[in-house]
Amino acid sequence: LFKVKRQKVSPDNLGAQSKSSKKDVAKEVAQRNRSRQINMLGVVVFCTYFCSYVYYLIPSFRTLDQNEKLLVRAVVHPIVVVTGEMAQRAAAAAPGSKYPLHIRCMGLINFDFFFQLVGRFLIGGQESAEISAILIVGVAVQELAMRVTYLPRQEMIR
């Protein structure tokens, strides 16, 4: 079924073979460790943002007045989401992982789902219906702008 190429082993090239195989094994181990680090980076980013929202931002959001809530939802939340998405994208696109790109992007998709849901709840937490309606339209325009301008932002940051 498979043909295996056999090399003749002589005492002269035995040392050379073992040196090259040691280098190959070391290279493979280093690549495997790098792959694990890259895969864990997305998880670390998500957990950091998740914990900061669950333990700090959401409990403190309940104690804010109307204007501060508007500021948090219109300015702070989008900045946090954009920085988190960029960190997730950098982790997913980093070279050296043995997983395909669409698998590495699953963390980004989960990040988007969670923080879009949190954003909707922050809008729902507003005290005024008029402010909530304005925020819904404003957030829709913000999200459209974020998605359309992703590549120009990446080039600007680089």
Tab-separated table of all heavy atoms in Angstrom, residues 31-88:
chain	number	residue	atom	x	y	z
A	31	GLN	N	7.026	23.414	18.107
A	31	GLN	CA	5.819	23.801	17.372
A	31	GLN	C	4.563	23.387	18.138
A	31	GLN	O	3.586	24.128	18.194
A	31	GLN	CB	5.812	23.174	15.985
A	31	GLN	CG	4.633	23.591	15.149
A	31	GLN	CD	4.672	22.983	13.762
A	31	GLN	OE1	5.528	22.174	13.456
A	31	GLN	NE2	3.735	23.373	12.935
A	32	ARG	N	4.579	22.209	18.755
A	32	ARG	CA	3.431	21.748	19.528
A	32	ARG	C	3.192	22.658	20.737
A	32	ARG	O	2.053	23.010	21.040
A	32	ARG	CB	3.655	20.314	19.985
A	32	ARG	CG	2.408	19.632	20.455
A	32	ARG	CD	2.600	18.176	20.811
A	32	ARG	NE	3.380	17.466	19.815
A	32	ARG	CZ	4.281	16.532	20.102
A	32	ARG	NH1	4.538	16.216	21.359
A	32	ARG	NH2	4.952	15.929	19.158
A	33	ASN	N	4.262	23.066	21.415
A	33	ASN	CA	4.117	23.969	22.560
A	33	ASN	C	3.593	25.332	22.120
A	33	ASN	O	2.743	25.919	22.777
A	33	ASN	CB	5.454	24.138	23.285
A	33	ASN	CG	5.850	22.895	24.046
A	33	ASN	OD1	5.011	22.042	24.344
A	33	ASN	ND2	7.126	22.762	24.329
A	34	ARG	N	4.084	25.834	20.995
A	34	ARG	CA	3.601	27.115	20.463
A	34	ARG	C	2.129	27.017	20.095
A	34	ARG	O	1.353	27.929	20.358
A	34	ARG	CB	4.430	27.504	19.240
A	34	ARG	CG	3.901	28.718	18.515
A	34	ARG	CD	4.905	29.832	18.546
A	34	ARG	NE	4.481	30.911	17.673
A	34	ARG	CZ	3.866	31.984	18.114
A	34	ARG	NH1	3.608	32.110	19.387
A	34	ARG	NH2	3.510	32.940	17.287
A	35	SER	N	1.730	25.890	19.525
A	35	SER	CA	0.335	25.677	19.154
A	35	SER	C	-0.563	25.694	20.396
A	35	SER	O	-1.636	26.291	20.385
A	35	SER	CB	0.191	24.349	18.415
A	35	SER	OG	-1.141	24.059	18.150
A	36	ARG	N	-0.113	25.083	21.467
A	36	ARG	CA	-0.900	25.091	22.709
A	36	ARG	C	-1.017	26.493	23.276
A	36	ARG	O	-2.067	26.891	23.763
A	36	ARG	CB	-0.249	24.169	23.741
A	36	ARG	CG	-0.440	22.710	23.450
A	36	ARG	CD	0.159	21.858	24.529
A	36	ARG	NE	0.106	20.464	24.139
A	36	ARG	CZ	1.040	19.582	24.433
A	36	ARG	NH1	2.084	19.937	25.148
A	36	ARG	NH2	0.920	18.341	24.038
A	37	GLN	N	0.083	27.251	23.221
A	37	GLN	CA	0.045	28.616	23.731
A	37	GLN	C	-0.918	29.473	22.922
A	37	GLN	O	-1.670	30.264	23.476
A	37	GLN	CB	1.441	29.230	23.690
A	37	GLN	CG	2.391	28.642	24.695
A	37	GLN	CD	3.814	29.140	24.477
A	37	GLN	OE1	4.119	29.765	23.471
A	37	GLN	NE2	4.688	28.844	25.427
A	38	ILE	N	-0.890	29.318	21.599
A	38	ILE	CA	-1.777	30.099	20.738
A	38	ILE	C	-3.229	29.738	21.018
A	38	ILE	O	-4.089	30.603	21.109
A	38	ILE	CB	-1.423	29.873	19.250
A	38	ILE	CG1	-0.086	30.542	18.942
A	38	ILE	CG2	-2.516	30.393	18.332
A	38	ILE	CD1	0.481	30.172	17.604
A	39	ASN	N	-3.515	28.445	21.170
A	39	ASN	CA	-4.884	28.025	21.432
A	39	ASN	C	-5.367	28.521	22.790
A	39	ASN	O	-6.535	28.842	22.951
A	39	ASN	CB	-4.998	26.505	21.351
A	39	ASN	CG	-4.764	25.996	19.949
A	39	ASN	OD1	-4.986	26.705	18.981
A	39	ASN	ND2	-4.285	24.784	19.845
A	40	MET	N	-4.490	28.614	23.757
A	40	MET	CA	-4.873	29.080	25.082
A	40	MET	C	-5.029	30.599	25.133
A	40	MET	O	-5.741	31.115	25.979
A	40	MET	CB	-3.838	28.634	26.126
A	40	MET	CG	-3.912	27.165	26.449
A	40	MET	SD	-5.537	26.667	27.050
A	40	MET	CE	-5.657	27.584	28.553
A	41	LEU	N	-4.387	31.319	24.227
A	41	LEU	CA	-4.463	32.768	24.242
A	41	LEU	C	-5.897	33.255	24.049
A	41	LEU	O	-6.350	34.150	24.752
A	41	LEU	CB	-3.552	33.362	23.165
A	41	LEU	CG	-3.496	34.881	23.094
A	41	LEU	CD1	-2.989	35.447	24.417
A	41	LEU	CD2	-2.607	35.318	21.949
A	42	GLY	N	-6.638	32.653	23.127
A	42	GLY	CA	-8.036	33.022	22.917
A	42	GLY	C	-8.883	32.772	24.152
A	42	GLY	O	-9.745	33.581	24.502
A	43	VAL	N	-8.619	31.671	24.823
A	43	VAL	CA	-9.367	31.339	26.047
A	43	VAL	C	-9.042	32.341	27.150
A	43	VAL	O	-9.938	32.805	27.858
A	43	VAL	CB	-9.038	29.895	26.501
A	43	VAL	CG1	-9.657	29.585	27.844
A	43	VAL	CG2	-9.488	28.885	25.452
A	44	VAL	N	-7.793	32.700	27.270
A	44	VAL	CA	-7.387	33.658	28.302
A	44	VAL	C	-8.024	35.028	28.047
A	44	VAL	O	-8.530	35.673	28.971
A	44	VAL	CB	-5.843	33.765	28.367
A	44	VAL	CG1	-5.401	34.945	29.214
A	44	VAL	CG2	-5.254	32.473	28.894
A	45	VAL	N	-8.033	35.463	26.793
A	45	VAL	CA	-8.644	36.747	26.455
A	45	VAL	C	-10.130	36.731	26.797
A	45	VAL	O	-10.650	37.652	27.433
A	45	VAL	CB	-8.430	37.089	24.962
A	45	VAL	CG1	-9.291	38.253	24.534
A	45	VAL	CG2	-6.971	37.384	24.696
A	46	PHE	N	-10.822	35.674	26.387
A	46	PHE	CA	-12.252	35.582	26.659
A	46	PHE	C	-12.526	35.572	28.160
A	46	PHE	O	-13.399	36.297	28.642
A	46	PHE	CB	-12.849	34.333	26.011
A	46	PHE	CG	-14.322	34.199	26.246
A	46	PHE	CD1	-15.223	34.947	25.509
A	46	PHE	CD2	-14.817	33.346	27.221
A	46	PHE	CE1	-16.587	34.843	25.726
A	46	PHE	CE2	-16.177	33.236	27.447
A	46	PHE	CZ	-17.062	33.992	26.694
A	47	CYS	N	-11.784	34.770	28.908
A	47	CYS	CA	-12.015	34.679	30.358
A	47	CYS	C	-11.727	36.008	31.064
A	47	CYS	O	-12.439	36.384	31.990
A	47	CYS	CB	-11.160	33.565	30.955
A	47	CYS	SG	-11.744	31.925	30.508
A	48	THR	N	-10.706	36.725	30.611
A	48	THR	CA	-10.389	38.022	31.209
A	48	THR	C	-11.525	39.017	31.009
A	48	THR	O	-11.978	39.675	31.954
A	48	THR	CB	-9.089	38.585	30.604
A	48	THR	OG1	-8.038	37.644	30.818
A	48	THR	CG2	-8.736	39.916	31.211
A	49	TYR	N	-12.009	39.109	29.784
A	49	TYR	CA	-13.112	40.040	29.499
A	49	TYR	C	-14.393	39.591	30.193
A	49	TYR	O	-15.137	40.410	30.728
A	49	TYR	CB	-13.327	40.153	27.987
A	49	TYR	CG	-12.333	41.068	27.328
A	49	TYR	CD1	-11.070	40.638	26.992
A	49	TYR	CD2	-12.677	42.382	27.059
A	49	TYR	CE1	-10.164	41.489	26.392
A	49	TYR	CE2	-11.777	43.237	26.453
A	49	TYR	CZ	-10.518	42.786	26.126
A	49	TYR	OH	-9.622	43.624	25.536
A	50	PHE	N	-14.656	38.303	30.189
A	50	PHE	CA	-15.854	37.766	30.839
A	50	PHE	C	-15.849	38.111	32.326
A	50	PHE	O	-16.842	38.613	32.859
A	50	PHE	CB	-15.909	36.249	30.632
A	50	PHE	CG	-17.058	35.585	31.313
A	50	PHE	CD1	-18.319	35.585	30.730
A	50	PHE	CD2	-16.902	34.956	32.536
A	50	PHE	CE1	-19.393	34.978	31.354
A	50	PHE	CE2	-17.964	34.347	33.167
A	50	PHE	CZ	-19.212	34.352	32.576
A	51	CYS	N	-14.738	37.845	33.000
A	51	CYS	CA	-14.663	38.112	34.438
A	51	CYS	C	-14.756	39.608	34.747
A	51	CYS	O	-15.376	39.992	35.739
A	51	CYS	CB	-13.377	37.524	35.017
A	51	CYS	SG	-13.407	35.729	35.098
A	52	SER	N	-14.150	40.435	33.892
A	52	SER	CA	-14.238	41.874	34.149
A	52	SER	C	-15.679	42.370	34.030
A	52	SER	O	-16.100	43.236	34.783
A	52	SER	CB	-13.324	42.653	33.206
A	52	SER	OG	-13.791	42.563	31.880
A	53	TYR	N	-16.437	41.784	33.121
A	53	TYR	CA	-17.850	42.175	32.998
A	53	TYR	C	-18.679	41.604	34.135
A	53	TYR	O	-19.455	42.316	34.757
A	53	TYR	CB	-18.414	41.699	31.657
A	53	TYR	CG	-18.375	42.754	30.593
A	53	TYR	CD1	-17.179	43.139	30.027
A	53	TYR	CD2	-19.527	43.388	30.178
A	53	TYR	CE1	-17.137	44.113	29.064
A	53	TYR	CE2	-19.499	44.373	29.220
A	53	TYR	CZ	-18.305	44.737	28.656
A	53	TYR	OH	-18.268	45.714	27.717
A	54	VAL	N	-18.521	40.327	34.402
A	54	VAL	CA	-19.370	39.667	35.400
A	54	VAL	C	-19.120	40.211	36.795
A	54	VAL	O	-20.061	40.435	37.557
A	54	VAL	CB	-19.170	38.142	35.356
A	54	VAL	CG1	-19.809	37.459	36.543
A	54	VAL	CG2	-19.728	37.578	34.064
A	55	TYR	N	-17.863	40.441	37.136
A	55	TYR	CA	-17.552	40.821	38.508
A	55	TYR	C	-17.395	42.318	38.734
A	55	TYR	O	-17.370	42.765	39.875
A	55	TYR	CB	-16.285	40.094	38.982
A	55	TYR	CG	-16.498	38.610	39.054
A	55	TYR	CD1	-15.807	37.757	38.210
A	55	TYR	CD2	-17.418	38.061	39.941
A	55	TYR	CE1	-16.010	36.387	38.271
A	55	TYR	CE2	-17.629	36.704	40.003
A	55	TYR	CZ	-16.924	35.871	39.163
A	55	TYR	OH	-17.131	34.532	39.210
A	56	TYR	N	-17.248	43.102	37.660
A	56	TYR	CA	-17.081	44.530	37.876
A	56	TYR	C	-18.108	45.379	37.123
A	56	TYR	O	-18.874	46.116	37.737
A	56	TYR	CB	-15.660	44.975	37.492
A	56	TYR	CG	-15.490	46.462	37.635
A	56	TYR	CD1	-15.457	47.050	38.893
A	56	TYR	CD2	-15.416	47.279	36.527
A	56	TYR	CE1	-15.346	48.419	39.038
A	56	TYR	CE2	-15.304	48.653	36.658
A	56	TYR	CZ	-15.261	49.213	37.917
A	56	TYR	OH	-15.155	50.569	38.061
A	57	LEU	N	-18.115	45.305	35.819
A	57	LEU	CA	-18.892	46.264	35.032
A	57	LEU	C	-20.397	46.108	35.241
A	57	LEU	O	-21.096	47.092	35.461
A	57	LEU	CB	-18.549	46.141	33.545
A	57	LEU	CG	-19.156	47.239	32.689
A	57	LEU	CD1	-18.443	48.548	32.969
A	57	LEU	CD2	-19.095	46.904	31.234
A	58	ILE	N	-20.913	44.900	35.185
A	58	ILE	CA	-22.361	44.708	35.313
A	58	ILE	C	-22.851	45.064	36.721
A	58	ILE	O	-23.845	45.781	36.853
A	58	ILE	CB	-22.770	43.292	34.879
A	58	ILE	CG1	-22.528	43.158	33.373
A	58	ILE	CG2	-24.211	42.996	35.233
A	58	ILE	CD1	-22.733	41.782	32.813
A	59	PRO	N	-22.175	44.618	37.797
A	59	PRO	CA	-22.649	45.064	39.119
A	59	PRO	C	-22.558	46.582	39.321
A	59	PRO	O	-23.448	47.185	39.920
A	59	PRO	CB	-21.722	44.334	40.098
A	59	PRO	CG	-21.270	43.135	39.365
A	59	PRO	CD	-21.164	43.565	37.932
A	60	SER	N	-21.503	47.204	38.795
A	60	SER	CA	-21.399	48.657	38.968
A	60	SER	C	-22.363	49.389	38.042
A	60	SER	O	-22.765	50.518	38.341
A	60	SER	CB	-19.964	49.124	38.723
A	60	SER	OG	-19.605	48.916	37.382
A	61	PHE	N	-22.764	48.785	36.934
A	61	PHE	CA	-23.704	49.398	35.995
A	61	PHE	C	-25.058	49.642	36.669
A	61	PHE	O	-25.729	50.624	36.381
A	61	PHE	CB	-23.875	48.485	34.771
A	61	PHE	CG	-24.721	49.065	33.677
A	61	PHE	CD1	-24.203	49.992	32.800
A	61	PHE	CD2	-26.045	48.668	33.518
A	61	PHE	CE1	-24.971	50.521	31.789
A	61	PHE	CE2	-26.820	49.195	32.504
A	61	PHE	CZ	-26.284	50.129	31.639
A	62	ARG	N	-25.431	48.776	37.573
A	62	ARG	CA	-26.728	48.907	38.258
A	62	ARG	C	-26.790	50.128	39.158
A	62	ARG	O	-27.870	50.637	39.431
A	62	ARG	CB	-26.997	47.648	39.077
A	62	ARG	CG	-27.104	46.410	38.206
A	62	ARG	CD	-27.211	45.169	39.015
A	62	ARG	NE	-28.518	45.128	39.649
A	62	ARG	CZ	-28.849	44.275	40.590
A	62	ARG	NH1	-27.967	43.404	41.019
A	62	ARG	NH2	-30.047	44.296	41.107
A	63	THR	N	-25.626	50.605	39.610
A	63	THR	CA	-25.614	51.730	40.540
A	63	THR	C	-25.421	53.081	39.847
A	63	THR	O	-25.438	54.110	40.511
A	63	THR	CB	-24.482	51.558	41.577
A	63	THR	OG1	-23.232	51.543	40.882
A	63	THR	CG2	-24.656	50.259	42.352
A	64	LEU	N	-25.242	53.080	38.542
A	64	LEU	CA	-24.990	54.334	37.812
A	64	LEU	C	-26.283	55.082	37.547
A	64	LEU	O	-27.358	54.492	37.490
A	64	LEU	CB	-24.300	54.020	36.476
A	64	LEU	CG	-22.967	53.287	36.549
A	64	LEU	CD1	-22.472	52.950	35.153
A	64	LEU	CD2	-21.935	54.107	37.289
A	65	ASP	N	-26.159	56.390	37.337
A	65	ASP	CA	-27.340	57.162	36.942
A	65	ASP	C	-27.529	57.048	35.421
A	65	ASP	O	-26.737	56.418	34.726
A	65	ASP	CB	-27.236	58.616	37.410
A	65	ASP	CG	-26.165	59.404	36.677
A	65	ASP	OD1	-25.420	58.816	35.879
A	65	ASP	OD2	-26.080	60.630	36.906
A	66	GLN	N	-28.585	57.677	34.903
A	66	GLN	CA	-28.971	57.520	33.504
A	66	GLN	C	-27.868	57.945	32.528
A	66	GLN	O	-27.588	57.255	31.563
A	66	GLN	CB	-30.258	58.320	33.237
A	66	GLN	CG	-30.809	58.183	31.851
A	66	GLN	CD	-31.301	56.782	31.553
A	66	GLN	OE1	-31.641	56.029	32.452
A	66	GLN	NE2	-31.329	56.439	30.290
A	67	ASN	N	-27.237	59.073	32.772
A	67	ASN	CA	-26.192	59.574	31.867
A	67	ASN	C	-24.949	58.690	31.882
A	67	ASN	O	-24.330	58.458	30.845
A	67	ASN	CB	-25.822	61.018	32.210
A	67	ASN	CG	-26.966	61.965	31.959
A	67	ASN	OD1	-27.796	61.730	31.084
A	67	ASN	ND2	-27.028	63.044	32.736
A	68	GLU	N	-24.579	58.206	33.053
A	68	GLU	CA	-23.423	57.320	33.145
A	68	GLU	C	-23.700	55.986	32.457
A	68	GLU	O	-22.819	55.424	31.808
A	68	GLU	CB	-23.053	57.094	34.612
A	68	GLU	CG	-22.469	58.332	35.280
A	68	GLU	CD	-22.312	58.168	36.780
A	68	GLU	OE1	-23.032	57.342	37.385
A	68	GLU	OE2	-21.475	58.877	37.354
A	69	LYS	N	-24.928	55.474	32.583
A	69	LYS	CA	-25.293	54.244	31.882
A	69	LYS	C	-25.200	54.432	30.371
A	69	LYS	O	-24.705	53.558	29.655
A	69	LYS	CB	-26.709	53.801	32.255
A	69	LYS	CG	-26.822	53.182	33.608
A	69	LYS	CD	-28.250	52.730	33.869
A	69	LYS	CE	-28.385	52.089	35.230
A	69	LYS	NZ	-29.757	51.638	35.497
A	70	LEU	N	-25.675	55.572	29.909
A	70	LEU	CA	-25.596	55.877	28.484
A	70	LEU	C	-24.141	55.924	28.020
A	70	LEU	O	-23.789	55.367	26.973
A	70	LEU	CB	-26.290	57.209	28.198
A	70	LEU	CG	-26.261	57.701	26.754
A	70	LEU	CD1	-27.035	56.759	25.860
A	70	LEU	CD2	-26.820	59.108	26.668
A	71	LEU	N	-23.292	56.553	28.803
A	71	LEU	CA	-21.872	56.639	28.468
A	71	LEU	C	-21.213	55.257	28.437
A	71	LEU	O	-20.452	54.947	27.511
A	71	LEU	CB	-21.159	57.550	29.471
A	71	LEU	CG	-19.682	57.795	29.216
A	71	LEU	CD1	-19.497	58.628	27.963
A	71	LEU	CD2	-19.049	58.479	30.407
A	72	VAL	N	-21.515	54.441	29.429
A	72	VAL	CA	-20.941	53.084	29.469
A	72	VAL	C	-21.372	52.290	28.249
A	72	VAL	O	-20.560	51.636	27.597
A	72	VAL	CB	-21.337	52.354	30.775
A	72	VAL	CG1	-21.048	50.866	30.694
A	72	VAL	CG2	-20.604	52.959	31.955
A	73	ARG	N	-22.657	52.360	27.911
A	73	ARG	CA	-23.150	51.556	26.791
A	73	ARG	C	-22.706	52.105	25.445
A	73	ARG	O	-22.407	51.344	24.534
A	73	ARG	CB	-24.686	51.471	26.836
A	73	ARG	CG	-25.275	50.670	25.705
A	73	ARG	CD	-24.654	49.272	25.675
A	73	ARG	NE	-24.964	48.571	24.464
A	73	ARG	CZ	-24.144	48.396	23.433
A	73	ARG	NH1	-22.929	48.899	23.463
A	73	ARG	NH2	-24.517	47.711	22.390
A	74	ALA	N	-22.647	53.408	25.301
A	74	ALA	CA	-22.324	54.001	24.001
A	74	ALA	C	-20.821	54.103	23.735
A	74	ALA	O	-20.410	54.094	22.588
A	74	ALA	CB	-22.965	55.376	23.888
A	75	VAL	N	-20.004	54.178	24.797
A	75	VAL	CA	-18.570	54.392	24.585
A	75	VAL	C	-17.725	53.249	25.151
A	75	VAL	O	-16.919	52.638	24.429
A	75	VAL	CB	-18.129	55.739	25.219
A	75	VAL	CG1	-16.639	55.940	25.061
A	75	VAL	CG2	-18.890	56.888	24.594
A	76	VAL	N	-17.893	52.934	26.423
A	76	VAL	CA	-17.016	51.955	27.081
A	76	VAL	C	-17.215	50.558	26.506
A	76	VAL	O	-16.226	49.886	26.158
A	76	VAL	CB	-17.244	51.969	28.610
A	76	VAL	CG1	-16.443	50.879	29.282
A	76	VAL	CG2	-16.888	53.324	29.176
A	77	HIS	N	-18.441	50.111	26.407
A	77	HIS	CA	-18.702	48.751	25.916
A	77	HIS	C	-18.157	48.531	24.496
A	77	HIS	O	-17.479	47.527	24.257
A	77	HIS	CB	-20.199	48.437	25.988
A	77	HIS	CG	-20.555	47.078	25.498
A	77	HIS	ND1	-20.240	45.935	26.194
A	77	HIS	CD2	-21.180	46.674	24.368
A	77	HIS	CE1	-20.663	44.885	25.517
A	77	HIS	NE2	-21.240	45.308	24.398
A	78	PRO	N	-18.393	49.437	23.534
A	78	PRO	CA	-17.820	49.212	22.200
A	78	PRO	C	-16.290	49.173	22.180
A	78	PRO	O	-15.697	48.389	21.455
A	78	PRO	CB	-18.333	50.394	21.376
A	78	PRO	CG	-19.571	50.814	22.057
A	78	PRO	CD	-19.337	50.561	23.511
A	79	ILE	N	-15.659	50.007	22.996
A	79	ILE	CA	-14.190	49.996	23.048
A	79	ILE	C	-13.694	48.656	23.592
A	79	ILE	O	-12.758	48.060	23.057
A	79	ILE	CB	-13.665	51.174	23.894
A	79	ILE	CG1	-13.889	52.479	23.140
A	79	ILE	CG2	-12.190	50.994	24.223
A	79	ILE	CD1	-13.581	53.721	23.956
A	80	VAL	N	-14.338	48.173	24.641
A	80	VAL	CA	-13.953	46.888	25.212
A	80	VAL	C	-14.153	45.769	24.193
A	80	VAL	O	-13.289	44.899	24.015
A	80	VAL	CB	-14.765	46.611	26.501
A	80	VAL	CG1	-14.599	45.189	26.963
A	80	VAL	CG2	-14.342	47.567	27.599
A	81	VAL	N	-15.269	45.782	23.484
A	81	VAL	CA	-15.555	44.735	22.512
A	81	VAL	C	-14.567	44.776	21.348
A	81	VAL	O	-14.067	43.737	20.905
A	81	VAL	CB	-17.016	44.824	22.023
A	81	VAL	CG1	-17.264	43.893	20.866
A	81	VAL	CG2	-17.963	44.495	23.165
A	82	VAL	N	-14.258	45.954	20.848
A	82	VAL	CA	-13.315	46.060	19.723
A	82	VAL	C	-11.928	45.575	20.126
A	82	VAL	O	-11.285	44.825	19.382
A	82	VAL	CB	-13.258	47.513	19.196
A	82	VAL	CG1	-12.086	47.716	18.263
A	82	VAL	CG2	-14.539	47.849	18.480
A	83	THR	N	-11.444	45.978	21.295
A	83	THR	CA	-10.121	45.515	21.716
A	83	THR	C	-10.119	44.004	21.942
A	83	THR	O	-9.153	43.326	21.597
A	83	THR	CB	-9.658	46.236	22.988
A	83	THR	OG1	-10.604	46.019	24.034
A	83	THR	CG2	-9.452	47.711	22.739
A	84	GLY	N	-11.187	43.475	22.502
A	84	GLY	CA	-11.273	42.029	22.694
A	84	GLY	C	-11.328	41.263	21.384
A	84	GLY	O	-10.676	40.235	21.226
A	85	GLU	N	-12.089	41.785	20.423
A	85	GLU	CA	-12.159	41.136	19.111
A	85	GLU	C	-10.804	41.151	18.421
A	85	GLU	O	-10.409	40.169	17.796
A	85	GLU	CB	-13.194	41.813	18.223
A	85	GLU	CG	-14.611	41.427	18.528
A	85	GLU	CD	-15.607	42.080	17.572
A	85	GLU	OE1	-15.176	42.777	16.630
A	85	GLU	OE2	-16.804	41.875	17.784
A	86	MET	N	-10.104	42.260	18.527
A	86	MET	CA	-8.789	42.337	17.881
A	86	MET	C	-7.810	41.364	18.536
A	86	MET	O	-7.008	40.726	17.844
A	86	MET	CB	-8.274	43.763	17.917
A	86	MET	CG	-9.108	44.674	17.024
A	86	MET	SD	-8.626	46.386	17.084
A	86	MET	CE	-7.144	46.343	16.132
A	87	ALA	N	-7.867	41.224	19.845
A	87	ALA	CA	-7.006	40.252	20.522
A	87	ALA	C	-7.385	38.829	20.129
A	87	ALA	O	-6.512	37.984	19.905
A	87	ALA	CB	-7.106	40.431	22.039
A	88	GLN	N	-8.677	38.559	20.021
A	88	GLN	CA	-9.127	37.228	19.595
A	88	GLN	C	-8.694	36.934	18.161
A	88	GLN	O	-8.270	35.834	17.843
A	88	GLN	CB	-10.651	37.126	19.698
A	88	GLN	CG	-11.180	37.036	21.088
A	88	GLN	CD	-11.087	35.624	21.638
A	88	GLN	OE1	-10.662	34.697	20.976
A	88	GLN	NE2	-11.484	35.470	22.868
